[in-house]
Amino acid sequence: MNRYLGKFILLAGLLLPLSLPAQDNAVRAAVSISVEQGRDIWAGQQVTLDLDLKTTGFSFSNSHFNLPEVKGAFLMQTDTTTVKLTDNIDGQDWQIVRYPLALYPQKAGQLKVPPINVRFTTSAGFGSEEKAFDFQTEPLELTIKLPPGAKPGDLVVTTTTFELEHDWQPATAVTKTGDAVTLNVTRKARNIAAMLLPPLPVFRVEGLASYPQTPEVTDKTDRGDLTGVRIDRITWVVEKPGIYEIPGIRFQWWDPDRRELKQQLIPGLSLDI
């Protein structure tokens, strides 16, 4: 064997095993959670929390996190879309995967978001051994405001876009016992999960039986924009003669951009049987 070739093989044998573990040991990881600052946060509003998984390594895998229960609010992942980012910290490049989470505060006051347990694996580079990490985010504390004009304890819907459609069926008057009338109501709200749109109040009185149906709730996401759609139906059946007044239903919502508490009314119905 050529003596120079032998020295090269020996040198490679000494260097190669040492280089990969050094890279694996150097891989770093972290997590953070943040919310956009400098803006009022209103009860009933969708607040986006950014959960960031970070690594100095090559890629992520086996990512998992558990969302805690938040007292006075709902925390959920309404969209599985992630955002990939990069950052340079102290001269070192970091890869970041961001998970947007939706927080819906239900009342005014101080709101505490507990830590979120996060785990994932990463490696220093292609072909390197993966390293597992387990983290807990820092808790968050937010100040939630009640929209002016809303009453404490009210379930408030905060949205920039609210659409309401309704109709009574049949359109003609109910005239005898055994007849039925149905109210159909469709609501659409931007950046609100459909499950958070409040149920319709059900008018109940002797002689007029009420039958609320199971609502249809649908969330539609378009490029990260969420629209909640809820369809409610209530049927009243006349059980005995009389004069009945089904009261109207008033809906209110807070527009955070215009800072207006808006209202829309569904007129009631009079029955003379």
Side-chain angles (χ1 to χ4, degrees):
M1 179 184 296
N2 185 290
R3 60 191 181 92
Y4 297 104
L5 179 60
K7 290 182 178 180
F8 175 78
I9 294 174
L10 177 61
L11 182 61
L14 291 174
L15 293 181
L16 287 179
L18 296 177
S19 60
L20 291 180
Q23 291 177 353
D24 286 341
N25 290 335
V27 69
R28 298 167 62 191
V31 297
S32 67
I33 189 166
S34 60
V35 61
E36 184 176 350
Q37 300 296 322
R39 297 181 60 185
D40 292 327
I41 301 177
W42 303 98
Q45 179 180 13
Q46 176 182 293
V47 181
T48 300
L49 305 184
D50 291 328
L51 176 62
D52 291 349
L53 281 56
K54 309 177 183 181
T55 180
T56 59
F58 179 70
S59 62
F60 294 88
S61 61
N62 302 321
S63 301
H64 181 78
F65 52 87
N66 296 316
L67 297 184
E69 291 189 7
V70 181
K71 187 177 180 180
F74 296 98
L75 179 62
M76 62 186 73
Q77 186 180 8
T78 58
D79 189 359
T80 57
T81 302
T82 58
V83 180
K84 295 183 179 180
L85 306 167
T86 58
D87 196 7
N88 187 281
I89 303 175
D90 297 330
Q92 192 168 26
D93 291 331
W94 286 74
Q95 308 295 323
I96 302 172
V97 173
R98 172 167 293 173
Y99 290 86
L101 305 176
L103 177 72
Y104 297 96
Q106 298 300 294
K107 60 181 181 179
Q110 293 300 114
L111 178 68
K112 295 183 179 180
V113 180
I116 300 175
N117 296 319
V118 183
R119 66 175 184 266
F120 60 88
T121 58
T122 183
S123 63
F126 182 76
S128 300
E129 182 179 355
E130 291 188 333
K131 185 175 181 180
F133 290 91
D134 201 333
F135 293 102
Q136 233 185 24
T137 64
E138 293 292 330
L140 277 180
E141 186 165 341
L142 307 174
T143 301
I144 312 301
K145 293 187 174 183
L146 183 68
K151 298 178 181 179
D154 284 354
L155 186 59
V156 182
V157 173
T158 299
T159 179
T160 56
T161 304
F162 183 86
E163 298 178 21
L164 174 65
E165 298 176 358
H166 79 279
D167 66 76
W168 290 95
Q169 294 181 352
T172 56
V174 176
T175 59
K176 62 182 185 299
T177 57
D179 284 352
V181 62
T182 298
L183 173 63
N184 301 294
V185 178
T186 300
R187 284 170 287 171
K188 298 180 182 179
R190 184 182 180 189
N191 291 333
I192 294 292
M195 62 172 286
L196 299 180
L197 294 171
L200 299 186
V202 181
F203 173 71
R204 303 179 189 276
V205 65
E206 185 181 355
L208 191 65
S210 55
Y211 300 95
Q213 301 180 28
T214 302
E216 300 176 23
V217 291
T218 307
D219 290 331
K220 299 180 180 179
T221 304
D222 182 15
R223 298 180 181 180
D225 289 334
L226 173 69
T227 298
V229 181
R230 176 170 176 140
I231 301 175
D232 289 275
R233 296 182 179 87
I234 304 176
T235 298
W236 287 271
V237 178
V238 179
E239 295 183 324
K240 61 182 181 180
I243 297 176
Y244 304 99
E245 293 285 342
I246 301 177
I249 303 174
R250 188 180 303 275
F251 296 89
Q252 67 176 16
W253 69 98
W254 172 253
D255 186 331
D257 288 351
R258 298 183 179 180
R259 291 177 175 260
E260 293 178 1
L261 188 64
K262 301 181 178 181
Q263 296 185 351
Q264 191 168 343
L265 178 68
I266 294 179
L269 190 67
S270 298
L271 302 177
D272 188 354
I273 308 303

